[in-house]
Amino acid sequence: MKFDNIIIGGGLSGLTCGITLAKAGKKVAVITAGQSTLHFCSGSFDLLGYDAEGKAIENPVEAVAQLKESHPYKKAGVENIASLAQDAAAILTECGLKLKGDIKRNHYRITPMGVLKPTWLTLEEYLTADSAAGVAYKKLVVANITGFHDFPVEFIAEGLRKTSTEVEVKTLSIPALKERRCSPSEMRSANISKVLSTEDTLQEIADKLNSIANDAEAIILPAIIGINNDENIAILKAKVNKPLFVIATLPPSVPGVRVQKALRSYFEKIGGVFMMGNKVCGGEIEDGKVKHIETTLLPDEQLSADNYILATGSFQSEGLMSNYVKVYEPVLDLDVDASDKRTEWVDTMVYNAQPYMEYGVKTNNVFQTQKNGSTIENLYAIGSVLSGHNAIKQADGTGVSMVTAIAVAKNILNK
Ligand SMILES: Cc1cc2nc3c(=O)[nH]c(=O)nc-3n(C[C@H](O)[C@H](O)[C@H](O)COP(=O)(O)OP(=O)(O)OC[C@H]3O[C@@H](n4cnc5c(N)ncnc54)[C@H](O)[C@@H]3O)c2cc1C
């Protein structure tokens, strides 16, 4: 099978790149082994949240200039970040996602542990704050669902109280979830959202919320509604008498699954081929170019393309792996930026920046990969498989994924 472009990995970076190429009329295949880290997503997209000292950044586009040279944004070009980020936001909108946020001014999302963190874009119905000083409401009701343990409601309440918001915690019992409650493994956000989707159930939730709201200015629910789109949350909002917002839960993430589905379905709609559950297990490199790749599900089929894009993620997605002696890239054994001393991989102080977080595939300034010191001309890397930044300490994971994906797609299109 021959394509113009083959993308290995179907998370945020792979699909963003695939959409950009398919929109330009290219024949694109995304081959992906499993679910992506979007399943941990908070409902927000970070561009650049913290500087090297851990200080929250107000204007992420301006702050890019201060990053070290190895950071993927520096490779994409400081002067290009604003337009690449705007292209990324446009893709999310084209996929049908409604977002709030501004590339020139971070706002704050509320994590499932009740911490305020700077971010770039947030799904419209999620609770956000304009600044670290807190949300716009002085009195909130935070309502959890009986038997749902993935929403640490007391942490969230405490986090909001620290910003001088008065918070009352309530629990709703939803009869439609009675059978699910018999098995704790069923009481997960993704399962619950499938049940909380009928008009009657939404009406029942709205009635209960209206009866407990008292003098609160707004009501907060865990993100357990709307796994496919924002329709059910819009229906519920229309039935509730006060402003209603959600906060992301511990994984699985309802907003993350929604984003993944939206990207995939848009990619397929514009002609992309999405091969789910298929793992790229090797390939042939000849004269500095990838000739073809091999996959576990199509062992007799050599898949080939003019260009290949590695979007396999970091350690969590097995885009990077380690053994007792080295950190390595498992598909083609590409060169990686990583210490060869195992003792240097981690800092023993758990809250310090962990060196392994910056490990990844080595690339040049246009994100071409290399093996044994030689550039592979038609194999690019994008997203969290790249080296050079710490997504946790810098709050830039989703931004790096989308910005590098679009930068590489544009580079391929201009070749
Ligand atoms: C726990 C967690 C929480 C996060 N929370 C946030 C957040 O709140 N805000 C934020 O901005 N960012 C967050 N991030 C970061 C963000 O999710 C990532 O930066 C971004 O989504 C990474 O996308 P990716 O496409 O590069 O990689 P991934 O999402 O890791 O996707 C890689 C894909 O490649 C596939 N794959 C791997 N190997 C192969 C192979 N050999 N063949 C075929 N397919 C393969 C995997 O199955 C996977 O589907 C979080 C990350 C994690 C891990």
Side-chain angles (χ1 to χ4, degrees), residues 117-230:
K117 291 204 160 186
T119 192
W120 161 43
L121 297 172
T122 298
L123 288 170
E124 221 167 43
E125 67 271 21
Y126 285 68
L127 182 68
T128 53
D130 270 353
S131 75
V135 297
Y137 301 100
K138 287 285 147 238
K139 189 161 187 191
L140 293 172
V141 161
V142 178
N144 195 16
I145 306 286
T146 307
F148 183 54
H149 300 301
D150 291 338
F151 192 60
V153 72
E154 288 301 341
F155 281 111
I156 291 164
E158 269 319 297
L160 292 167
R161 283 179 193 131
K162 278 187 201 150
T163 64
S164 317
T165 294
E166 209 180 308
V167 181
E168 210 180 336
V169 172
K170 301 271 185 178
T171 308
L172 306 182
S173 184
I174 312 288
L177 291 170
K178 193 171 161 231
E179 280 175 23
R180 301 266 161 168
R181 275 200 297 274
C182 296
S183 160
S185 63
E186 284 293 303
M187 283 300 284
R188 309 304 303 273
S189 56
N191 298 342
I192 294 173
S193 77
K194 288 175 197 147
V195 178
L196 305 185
S197 59
T198 66
E199 183 80 25
D200 286 353
T201 311
L202 294 172
Q203 184 62 55
E204 199 177 353
I205 297 171
D207 292 342
K208 291 197 177 198
L209 290 175
N210 286 332
S211 73
I212 59 168
N214 302 326
D215 59 343
E217 294 168 36
I219 305 172
I220 312 301
L221 270 184
I224 49 171
I225 295 174
I227 197 155
N228 292 321
N229 51 50
D230 61 0

Side-chain angles (χ1 to χ4, degrees), residues 7-15 31-47 109 119 251 260 275-276 278-281 310-314 316-319 329-331 382-385 389 391-392 395-401:
I7 299 170
I8 310 170
L12 182 63
S13 61
L15 279 165
I31 304 169
T32 197
Q35 301 298 1
S36 75
T37 57
L38 276 174
H39 288 243
F40 298 85
C41 170
S42 59
S44 293
F45 297 82
D46 304 337
L47 189 56
R109 65 182 171 95
T119 192
Q260 177 84 40
M275 299 185 199
M276 182 68 191
N278 197 7
K279 187 169 190 164
V280 178
C281 48
L310 188 78
T312 46
S314 188
Q316 181 154 355
S317 294
E318 300 187 350
E329 186 287 307
V331 179
I382 56 173
S384 57
V385 74
H389 73 118
I392 291 181
D396 61 359
T398 34
V400 165
S401 290

Side-chain angles (χ1 to χ4, degrees), residues 52 63-75 78 355 358 387-390 394:
V64 166
Q66 313 304 325
L67 294 170
K68 56 185 182 186
E69 291 309 309
S70 61
H71 194 287
Y73 288 160
K74 278 286 177 81
K75 292 187 181 180
V78 173
E358 296 208 15
S387 64
H389 73 118
N390 183 328
Q394 294 176 290

Side-chain angles (χ1 to χ4, degrees), residues 281-300:
C281 48
E284 196 189 325
I285 300 170
E286 204 182 284
D287 299 331
K289 280 188 161 191
V290 177
K291 292 286 167 206
H292 68 261
I293 52 162
E294 289 134 29
T295 66
T296 49
L297 287 189
L298 300 167
D300 301 325

